[in-house]
Amino acid sequence: MPGAMEGVRVLDLTTMVAGPVATMMLADQGAEVIKVESPHGDLMRHFSRGRNGMNAAFLSCNRNKRSLAVDLKSADGLEILKRLIATAQVFVHNFRPGIAERMGLGEEIVRAIRRDIVYVSITGYGTKGPYANQRAYDPVIQAMSGLADIQRDRDTGRPRMVRTIIADYTTALTAAQAITAALFARERTGGGQHVRISMLDAMISYLWPEAMPSLTFVGDETDPSDGEVGPDLVFATQDRYITAAALSDDEWAGMCRALNRQELIDDLRFKTARDRSVNAVERRTITSAELEKWRADEILPRLLANDVPSAPVVSRFELLHDKQVSENHILEEFDSEQFGKVRMPRPAALFDRTPAKIRALAPRLGADNAAILAELGYDADDITRLESNKVVHNSVKKESAGG
């Protein structure tokens, strides 16, 4: 069965993570995504050795795509892309403000070729303001959005980063949803539009409801960090770390019963959700001390029997053998002639009529040059000329020729 995005061609000029993951999600859902790279390739291709010229990070951000490696600084290369634009519904880049225009790929030029195209620009800070032209990677956005402040060490007060590129992934999800919405609007109105997404926008929006609600009412702001400096929700038991969260009155009562501390149920410091929030540091300190008295295999069944959301803190290796992960087939394995056996998570959204799926692993640099050029009307002599003039680059052909 075709995917939900079947028939949509996306030109992906993005690099690194946020843009590539956004377009990969569309590819999983059936879109034809052509990854347009320079002859050097996306920087992500070069971060680790991997297997047979493909590293795991690039593989995990670019599956289900075709690769066109073309020198857009050349007139012939730019002409190739312009021919492609005429065939596409979506054009995505993550250049800093002004660069697309200098390359001859600003919205005005692209829309002159394809009037109804959805033009998407992903930036670090947006298109205006004092930081607009600065480079921005995930740690920079974590620092600027308040996330590093939220993660600060409770003993030293030192800000800390989340040890995964959460700003990139949040931006990717925001971009994928926005592109889908723009395509929906295009179907209804017949018109394309420019979708602008900044990583800083995406991250502040993501954090606000939980981490900054006390800044919502103008004139009545309070410090969002109040109550955040107590123990976090990772607790030590006698043999391993677990997490447990009691938000509702019933869950708090269940936790107290599981810990044999029933007297805390009616303790005025913790009687209501608001009381527990105001006294969060004290509550977590008591909870932490009580949980340290138990083994994980003793306390977790008690917590679950009392309907308290809880779980062991699972290592990434343990995840490979977790029964819940296995039962739901979250991880899939693929046999590749080029890369051997590869494990990847399946697309998270399960469609019952238009399934998203992994159809192909990430392409080698320029692997689809000849096929894409032929679709655009270039004959064999044209392609040979473009290769000889280094307008297009095929890493697979170069390696097979011993180059």
Side-chain angles (χ1 to χ4, degrees):
M1 292 185 288
M5 301 292 288
E6 189 82 13
V8 175
R9 173 173 276 189
V10 178
L11 302 186
D12 175 13
L13 279 71
T14 66
T15 60
M16 298 304 289
V17 177
V21 169
T23 56
M24 183 185 73
M25 293 176 68
L26 303 179
D28 289 348
Q29 294 165 6
E32 179 198 5
V33 177
I34 298 176
K35 185 173 179 66
V36 181
E37 302 178 71
S38 73
H40 180 68
D42 187 335
L43 182 59
M44 284 288 286
R45 288 186 182 272
H46 307 288
F47 277 156
S48 59
R49 294 179 62 184
R51 184 184 292 172
N52 194 21
M54 177 66 68
N55 69 63
F58 183 87
L59 186 71
S60 298
C61 295
N62 291 282
R63 65 184 179 225
N64 287 335
K65 299 181 184 181
R66 305 168 78 190
S67 173
L68 173 68
V70 58
D71 180 7
L72 295 178
K73 295 178 181 178
S74 69
D76 284 338
L78 195 59
E79 174 60 25
I80 291 170
L81 185 59
K82 286 182 176 180
R83 289 197 194 185
L84 264 179
I85 289 169
T87 71
Q89 288 75 42
V90 182
F91 180 92
V92 191
H93 72 74
N94 61 350
F95 304 128
R96 280 185 287 172
I99 292 179
E101 287 74 16
R102 292 197 293 273
M103 293 174 65
L105 295 171
E107 182 191 5
E108 185 175 336
I109 292 174
V110 170
R111 198 167 299 288
I113 301 169
R114 181 70 188 250
R115 176 188 59 81
D116 60 349
I117 202 162
V118 173
Y119 187 97
V120 183
S121 55
I122 302 172
T123 59
Y125 293 107
T127 58
K128 57 186 179 181
Y131 310 141
N133 290 306
Q134 295 181 15
R135 292 182 181 272
Y137 289 128
D138 185 280
V140 176
I141 300 302
Q142 288 199 38
M144 287 295 302
S145 66
L147 181 56
D149 176 59
I150 294 168
Q151 295 293 121
R152 72 193 185 285
D153 186 274
R154 66 188 180 92
D155 295 320
T156 66
R158 182 190 178 108
R160 296 186 300 186
M161 300 290 178
V162 174
R163 292 182 180 177
T164 186
I165 46 177
I166 188 171
D168 275 317
Y169 295 130
T170 302
T171 303
L173 288 166
T174 302
Q177 190 280 328
I179 292 169
T180 306
L183 286 170
F184 181 66
R186 179 178 178 270
E187 286 295 307
R188 294 197 300 179
T189 67
Q193 60 186 296
H194 190 161
V195 180
R196 297 174 176 86
I197 300 161
S198 88
M199 295 177 68
L200 185 61
D201 280 358
M203 204 61 209
I204 290 176
S205 294
Y206 169 80
L207 293 170
W208 192 273
E210 187 271 336
M212 307 180 195
S214 67
L215 302 178
T216 298
F217 296 111
V218 178
D220 292 322
E221 296 89 352
T222 58
D223 187 348
S225 65
D226 287 348
E228 289 181 347
V229 294
D232 60 21
L233 292 178
V234 173
F235 301 106
T237 65
Q238 290 181 358
D239 58 334
R240 69 176 299 162
Y241 292 103
I242 69 167
T243 186
L247 299 181
S248 71
D249 292 345
D250 287 345
E251 290 165 353
W252 173 245
M255 176 173 279
C256 294
R257 287 192 293 269
L259 296 173
N260 291 330
R261 291 295 305 271
Q262 287 88 336
E263 76 279 6
L264 294 174
I265 296 174
D266 295 318
D267 191 307
L268 294 180
R269 295 171 297 174
F270 315 125
K271 184 67 174 174
T272 67
R274 178 172 176 76
D275 295 329
R276 293 190 293 275
S277 177
V278 170
N279 297 295
V281 174
E282 192 170 4
R283 172 174 55 85
R284 291 179 186 176
T285 300
I286 292 172
T287 302
S288 181
E290 290 297 329
L291 286 168
E292 289 179 358
K293 300 175 181 178
W294 301 80
R295 287 176 50 87
D297 60 2
E298 297 170 337
I299 193 58
L300 282 171
R302 291 176 62 88
L303 290 167
L304 293 172
N306 282 279
D307 212 20
V308 178
S310 53
V313 174
V314 176
S315 76
R316 284 161 282 186
F317 271 111
E318 286 177 310
L319 192 70
L320 297 179
H321 308 290
D322 184 86
K323 292 181 180 178
Q324 185 69 24
V325 172
S326 176
E327 181 71 20
N328 285 276
H329 305 288
I330 294 175
L331 299 177
E332 298 180 347
E333 293 186 357
F334 303 87
D335 289 310
S336 166
E337 292 183 5
Q338 291 180 308
F339 313 128
K341 183 164 283 190
V342 174
R343 179 189 294 112
M344 300 190 78
R346 60 160 169 76
L350 301 178
F351 297 76
D352 68 349
R353 296 189 181 183
T354 55
K357 58 185 177 181
I358 301 174
R359 302 181 304 279
L361 300 180
R364 300 285 291 275
L365 179 62
D368 302 291
N369 285 353
I372 293 171
L373 291 171
E375 292 168 11
L376 295 174
Y378 292 90
D379 61 25
D381 290 339
D382 293 328
I383 295 172
T384 299
R385 174 180 60 82
L386 292 167
E387 290 176 342
S388 297
N389 293 338
K390 298 184 179 179
V391 175
V392 295
H393 171 82
N394 187 326
S395 65
V396 179
K397 181 177 288 189
K398 183 178 179 181
E399 288 174 8
S400 63

